[in-house]
Amino acid sequence: MKQTTLPYLLALALLVLGTHSHAQHTPAPVPADSPLPPWPKPTQPDLASGRSSIRSQDLEILQSTHQPGGLLIKVAGQPIAIGQNHPRIGYLVGAELHWLDAAQAPGRKFALKAVGAGFDTELQCADADGGHWTFRRRFSPGHIPGSIDIESTVSVDQPRDIAFLPMLMIFPGVGTFGTSKGQGLFAGLEYLENEPSSSEADIIGPASKRQVPDNLKVTLPLMVIQSGEGYVALTWQMRPQFCALYDSPDRLFESGGHVLGVLFPGSNGQNRQEGSLLPRFATRLGPGEEVDLHATLLGGRGASVVPAVQQYVQLRGLPPVPGVNFPQYVAQAAGGWLDSKIREGKLFRHAVAEGGFPPGPAADAALWMDWLGNETTDASLAARLHQTAEAALGAVAPADWNVSGVGHVRYPVAALVYGHVAEAAERARQNGEALLARFEPDLSIQYRPAPTGPDYSKTHYSKEADGYTSRPVLDLLEDAAFCGEPTLLAKALQRLRAMDKFSNGVPRGAQTWECPLHIPDILAAAQMVRAYLLGYELTGEPHFLEQARYWAWTGVPFVYLVNPTSQPIGDYGTIAVFGATQWRAPVWLGLPVQWCGLVYADALHRLMREDPTDGLTWKKLADGITVSGIQQSWPSSDTALQGLLPDSFVLRTQHRNGPAINPATLEANAFRLVNQPPVYDFWAARDSGLRIHAPGGLVRLSDNKAGVSFEVYPWMKHPYYVLINGLTAKPALKLNGQPAACADPHQFQEKEGRLILKLDGKTKVELELSK
């Protein structure tokens, strides 16, 4: 067999499997040299001769009484898009591609009638080869404000091998804002400012062509164009026989605006070259057989695409979070720490990879092993975990316990569990002071390429990006909050406020160790959430919480909210970046990198308690991402890699790609799946000016200018420490209602304004401040 026949047979098999009722006919190849006809430009509909309309809140559609596809779409009374009133259908006759111009076809009949609060349209026409076509559309109010449902049905009375059938196309900007825009979104593939889609700013080569992608790469069916104070969006029922079309600006039809659409046949990674309007194979539509698309148009006011993402979640909801066997997960994670290739004696690798990631000391490994030791019911496993944790901790200098680790999610908690809190606080102060040197006089962080290696900023319009800036700002805030040094804290908040320049922006540029500064990035969204949330916790300024919520929503398009395959692992997988490493490979579109999503999930978990409006959404998203991480991890049967998280996951084949990452990042989220105290909690008591750090839950919080009271629910079974900073004098202390001295076993650092309490078990703490 010739090697060149394999792709054809594979493509044929995938197409047959993926087209449901259209699968009984052998797909006909579309000639590769088939010319595309001159596409007639969509034009403004003729509404003067008659029209029908439908409205949902700020979104309105007006339909011409005599033009098929003659749509005018308005938001808040202003035109924002038009329909395709010159549709063409491509079908094969033998090996030749024929085209039907439905707007000019012989025997054309068009009817429009009101139906309830909406209307129906029907177009009948004939093609040049004797086939009679019927195109029906029903427009009706959607289930949420600002949404209009559109059901499009196509049938023909003779068999037709379809190569191009636009089920629905709209053209934002035509006759209004033109080819410019504020933002654009094609979930899973594009997150744009006023820049072209399918550019080479993030991917160079064929993978940059994202106009008609493999359906696998669409994380949720949502395409958006936003301009000025309004947006229009399209969402649709994802089925294998359909595929999405997105070009911004529209270079395919040269409409003078942008194009969002849904096409038949679909795109499964084999049956068409991505970016191409024509597939490699046509799909048979039998006599009287219907192609039926359910879609919804969304629109409203907004200065970014985020309101459209919020509308989508309100309309479609989130998929169910898969169940998880938590005792099995505990055993699997324990195996990862104890028996996989991550560990060498008392040292641990970040990941298992050929020729990289040497083992080293890691205090977070000790922390997470001790937590697992408390969770397991296997006494011998618990003993091994605690013994190995003790050895791991002994390999780290005590002053480094809060900063030594191999996980991507870290808390300043190891010193609160094991001691040496004063040294950890001093190390936080030193780290914070060192971080200040990274900022320019204007408080920015400027990307500077390494003397050798690529310049990752060369395709970006700036040397700054929110993801690049937010990491040092977040680290500075966390160091300042832990050490409590007032000047450092003030400087950290000053740099947080300087990040407002990125408001209503695109999350990008957090992974410049290998990816372009310009690249849209879920890690950037996570870091922006955490930085602004901590700013809100410290100050109570509503603006900070508003920004944290905004950036949380920017991460949603990176999460699979539809399962892209029929395989069991898919929902809540997370795309790391909409681009490629070093612009070329690996290409990360359609390839989940769950550790990045888990950093985002941790940010959502922390946000949910401060954001009652969307708290349940954040909880479900974070839990779903976490369970997907558990599903993706290597099973216990793989001794060498058990309990480790793949660097990436291949959805169609359910294959795990290395490097294999240590269990810490997943465990930092997995503990939230059970009703146990958190591993770390933080409370900024703003009336009293105190900041409390604890290795467990802080509950029953009371704060006023005279003092604070709270209860600590620890997760460990041995004595632990609570850090309180922001004190200006020694307070009066009560523990469980009894007076206690701020002296041994406790520690009061008067100069630093810190009180370190050594506690055991659940404890109520009361502090009365000196007047």
Side-chain angles (χ1 to χ4, degrees), residues 173-208:
V174 174
T176 53
F177 51 87
T179 58
S180 67
K181 60 181 174 287
Q183 285 187 359
L185 176 71
F186 186 5
L189 294 116
E190 306 269 19
Y191 204 144
L192 307 165
E193 294 178 284
N194 190 17
E195 58 187 315
S197 62
S198 293
S199 79
E200 293 193 335
D202 305 310
I203 308 175
I204 295 174
S208 66

Side-chain angles (χ1 to χ4, degrees), residues 388-407:
T388 308
E390 183 177 5
L393 193 69
V396 184
D400 293 335
W401 283 351
N402 275 6
V403 296
S404 167
V406 290

Side-chain angles (χ1 to χ4, degrees), residues 248-443:
S248 173
D250 169 24
R251 292 147 292 190
L252 298 172
F253 306 97
E254 298 182 342
S255 64
H258 315 263
V259 59
L260 316 179
V262 180
L263 307 179
F264 176 93
S267 180
N268 61 20
Q270 293 291 330
N271 70 324
R272 72 166 74 223
Q273 182 177 346
E274 291 189 79
S276 174
L277 289 174
L278 296 180
R280 293 188 174 100
F281 303 95
T283 298
R284 171 62 61 91
L285 186 61
E289 188 177 0
E290 291 187 338
V291 180
D292 189 13
L293 171 72
H294 294 263
T296 301
L297 201 66
L298 303 171
R301 303 169 194 256
S304 74
V305 298
V306 160
V309 178
Q310 294 170 319
Q311 265 193 313
Y312 173 86
V313 172
Q314 184 184 2
L315 178 71
R316 303 293 188 206
L318 301 175
V321 175
V324 63
N325 182 329
F326 200 77
Q328 179 178 310
Y329 162 72
V330 168
Q332 186 174 305
W337 287 120
L338 295 172
D339 300 317
S340 79
K341 290 184 177 181
I342 282 291
R343 178 185 167 213
E344 282 195 13
K346 58 185 178 181
L347 304 180
F348 296 83
R349 291 181 173 86
H350 168 69
V352 176
E354 290 293 330
F357 302 110
D364 64 346
L367 178 83
W368 293 119
M369 282 188 285
D370 271 337
W371 189 88
L372 290 169
N374 287 353
E375 284 298 305
T376 184
T377 57
D378 183 331
S380 61
L381 179 60
R384 284 191 68 204
L385 285 163
H386 291 311
Q387 290 166 5
T388 308
E390 183 177 5
L393 193 69
V396 184
D400 293 335
W401 283 351
N402 275 6
V403 296
S404 167
V406 290
H408 293 286
V409 175
R410 301 186 191 179
Y411 310 110
V413 67
L416 303 175
V417 176
Y418 303 115
H420 296 276
V421 179
E423 294 97 313
E426 176 58 20
R427 176 56 57 88
R429 187 195 64 77
Q430 293 171 358
N431 291 345
E433 293 289 349
L435 277 169
L436 291 175
R438 291 194 57 190
F439 292 85
E440 303 292 330
D442 65 357
L443 308 185

